[in-house]
Amino acid sequence: MENVHFRSVTVESLFPDRLRTIASVAEAAEFLLNEWPGKRGRLHGLAQLACLEAMDGGATGDTARSVFIEAAKEADIYVEGNVDSTVIPSH
């Protein structure tokens, strides 16, 4: 499995008044599994799949980043980052 880096994304963390900056697929996957402070909806699951696919070479880091951002927005924990476009894979 490969750790693919992407443009950083800042989200709220489990700790009050603390932000977390995510800059790779491995960091995003770990955050999704262990530190996610919001609801775990449909996009949360898709973000996990996108991270796994990117680490296996079946998706790009930009795709995983985009789905991660959408999941963070859905959970109302997204803070900042440069968002160009959203790509949500269909599964």
Side-chain angles (χ1 to χ4, degrees):
M1 291 193 140
E2 182 181 344
N3 185 16
V4 180
H5 292 272
F6 52 65
R7 284 188 330 274
S8 64
V9 176
T10 302
V11 293
E12 293 177 17
S13 73
L14 282 173
F15 306 102
D17 300 322
R18 281 199 173 167
L19 301 178
R20 171 84 188 269
T21 300
I22 307 294
S24 73
V25 173
E27 286 179 34
E30 186 272 328
F31 185 81
L32 286 159
L33 289 172
N34 300 316
E35 298 180 44
W36 192 256
K39 72 175 185 171
R40 294 178 182 231
R42 176 182 160 273
L43 293 176
H44 179 271
L46 288 176
Q48 288 178 328
L49 288 173
C51 287
L52 290 174
E53 289 177 5
M55 287 189 287
D56 284 340
T60 67
D62 288 338
T63 297
R65 178 183 184 274
S66 293
V67 181
F68 179 83
I69 288 170
E70 288 307 305
K73 286 179 179 179
E74 177 183 67
D76 200 27
I77 64 166
Y78 176 74
V79 176
E80 64 185 43
N82 296 324
V83 182
D84 294 329
S85 62
T86 301
V87 179
I88 300 176
S90 57
H91 289 277

